Every structure is written in structure tokens, then in C-alpha cells.
Amino acid sequence: MSKYLERVLEATKAKNANEPEFLQTVEEVLTSLAPVIEAHPEYEKVALLERMVEPERVIEFRVTWMDDNGQWQVNRGYRVQYNGAIGPYKGGLRFQSNVNLSMIKFLGFEQTFKDALTTLPIGGAKGGSDFDPAGKSDAEVMRFCQAFMTELYRHIGPDVDVPAGDMGVGAREVGYLYGQYRRIVGAFKNGVITGKGLPFGGSLIRPEATGYGAVYYLNEVLKHENDSIEGKRIAISGFGNVAWGIVKKVAELGGKVVTLSGPDGYIYDADGLVTEEKIDYMLEMRNSGRNKVQDYADKFGVPFFAGEKPWGLGSDKVDIIMPSAMQNDVHLDSAKKIAASGIKYYIEVANMPTTNDALEFLKEQKHMIIAPSKAVNAGGVAVSALEMSQNSERLVWEAEEVDAKLKSIMKNIHDSSAAAAERYGLGYDLVAGANIAGFQKVADAMMAQGVF
Ligand code: GLU
């Protein structure tokens, strides 16, 4: 590692000592950029890395709303506008009780490179609140969203910053957020937020996009290995929107997802989630707000493993692993089990689902192929960017058109990551390749625009 890179890493650690998740992603990304920084001594003079790790803007605000008992409640809202060098800031909003600045900064930093990888003109941002919609009434969620947007609206716009959903922010929340924005600005500027409902500027395929995109990316990996998805058994975690998209596309392509997980444990369905009934039941489970995956085991009579994660299954049961739930879902002990199982494909889907030591360990396994989330899950934000295009054209594209674009974007992300790693003599290293390809685009744009 070059002296410059080391110095920036140390300084970032010292400056953000109380932000562990943020430091985790900075360390992961910067470490894999070592050969690029070595090849570009001109970056040091203009403090490119120092500027890249520092968000352009952090907005933190109070959100006051009234609950159903007439009691006023106060939450904290965030928007981190990380890097706008290649387009309007773009990234989701997460509503979950554990949201804090470290989490939003980690997600915003990742988003910057992810958005660059899509090849579409979008910068990186993330936002959210420590408000948890689970267990709240519809009216409470609406009042919260209205209060949140009443502060956020002055910082966003179709050419400025375009939020979307993330965990805890689905179609319902996006609808309330947009409604309040429209009410405040007095104009139908629906390009200000994506993931909207179809009647007011949503894009076909957006709900499926992250999951579909992940499977399209997986397909490119399998192709590279002269392999195919036909008959493959896939273990995933989570059972939300992303998991649903994966399950649907995998079933369509002749593979089968055999696990789902929730905060309560995981289910194992040897027949796979391949029927319409099972796939539709995922939506029901999510909409129930119970947040329990055991419901699936009870309904379909399959085994449920309380308090466990689906990472202990052997290669007699599973061919591909796709962690799709949340950050730091796979720790070193799970990574060791996965490596020992002989399973070849480890395809990250959720943002930073693997701890850094676990990721390092998995990358050392010669029999395994590891794909990073910032590439694999980029289909969601890519279709969001296509939603922005449709909004500015005041048109709605057909599902086939959006899907075809999504597929080619995912292929491109895979190929450009593979090529970037190859260029630096790293072989088929999709993790380093994604970091390098994303970084290079943002770096080029920043270098061209002068120092500020
Ligand atoms: N939250 C999703 C992501 O992290 C979607 C963001 C978007 O569509 O802007 O990529």
C-alpha cells in the first residue's frame, strides 16, 4: 500500500473513530484501490482521496410528528450528499430504529461507487431516520413522512438530489413523501424521488429491479465459469423486497431458492420457492408487519431453525449463497463454515453483508468466487435512474424495455469490473474490480472539474 493511501486511511480512522460501519467500508474500498493509487501519483497533490472520503454535505435534522395518542414524538433525520461529481445525488432513505450517522455515511460512500458502476449519470447519497415504521399505524407513518419531507424538501430536487426507498421505505412511504413534496413546492416534479407508484411516474420493473439485477449479475458470473443457473440451489437471507425479486427471477430461470431468513431464524425448503403460491406468500409475510419468517414454515410445513442463519448448509443442499438481508450478516465463523462446505459461489446482495475479516477470508479461498454487493445490487438504483429518465421525458416505458436495459446494465457492471481487475493484474477479482471501476469514473470526473 502506498504511503499516501496509508496516510489517508489512518487520518480517516482518527477522524471518525466513533463510526465503525463507515470505517469498515472505507477500509475495504481504499485497500483494494492500492494498485490504482500507485499508478496515479497525481491524485495526492489534489487531495483526491481525502476529498473522496469526506461527504460533500451532511444534513441532520429534527423530525417532529404526532402519534395516534396525540403525543408528540421526535426522531432524527439524515441526508448525506456524498459525491455529486457524475450526476444529481442518488440513493435511498432507510427508516429503522438503529439508523445513525455512521450507517448513513457507510451506505452513502458505497452508493457513490455503486451509482458510478451503473454507467448512468447519478452521484451518491443516502439518508434516513431512526424512525421504525414497523408497528406504526398508517396515519402515523403518513404524519412522519410529511414531517420528514417538510425539512428535506429544501435540500432535494430532480437536478439536485433524488432519494428513493431502502429498508423501511417502500411504495407507501415514497407515496407519502412525494405527496408532501408536491404540496410544498406546488408543482408536479415527480423526478424528485424514485420508487413511486405507477399512476404518478413510477417505473415498471422498479419493485423487482434489485432482485432481478442480482440474478442477471449472477448469470454473468456463471457464464464466465461455463456454468448455468439451471437446477442450482440458492441460499438467501432476508425475505423482503430484494429477496422476493431474486426468488421470482431464479424460479423463472430454472433454479430454486431454498432458504429465507428473518430476525427469528431461517427456513429451509428443499423443493424451493418455485410456485406462485410461495412467491406471493412472501409479499403477504412482509405486508403483515410481523417480521417473522417462521410463518412460512408453518404454512408450507418445512423446517424452521430458530435463531440461526442459513450459512451452515453443505454443498449437498446449496450451490450458491446470496446474503440479501442487511449489513454484517456474515461473520468470520460463518465464512469458515461456508468455505468448509465446498460451496463455490458467494454473491453479496445486501449492502456490506460481510464483515471485512470474513470477506478477506472468503477471498483467500481458491475454490470460491466472490461478488460484491455494490455491483450485484446496483440494478435497483439503475432502474431508479431509468425512472428519472422517464419522468423527464414524461413517458412510461414498457416493462420489456426497462428489463432489457437492466439486463445490459448488469452485464456491463460485471464485465467492466472484471476488466478493471484484469487491467491491474488481479485476475477474476470482482470485489477489487468493482471498487476500481467505480472509483475510476468518480475520480476522472473529480479531476476534470477542478479542486473544491
Ligand atoms: N436503496 C437502494 C440502493 O441502495 C435504491 C436507491 C435508489 O433507487 O436510489 O441502491
Side-chain angles (χ1 to χ4, degrees), residues 90-93 111 114-115 126 162-167 194 206 210 351 377-378 380-382 384:
K90 184 86 196 85
L93 299 171
Q111 195 84 36
K114 180 201 305 195
D115 291 5
K126 205 83 185 194
V162 183
D166 195 80
M167 292 160 83
T194 62
R206 179 63 190 88
T210 309
N351 292 307
N377 75 26
V381 76
S384 273

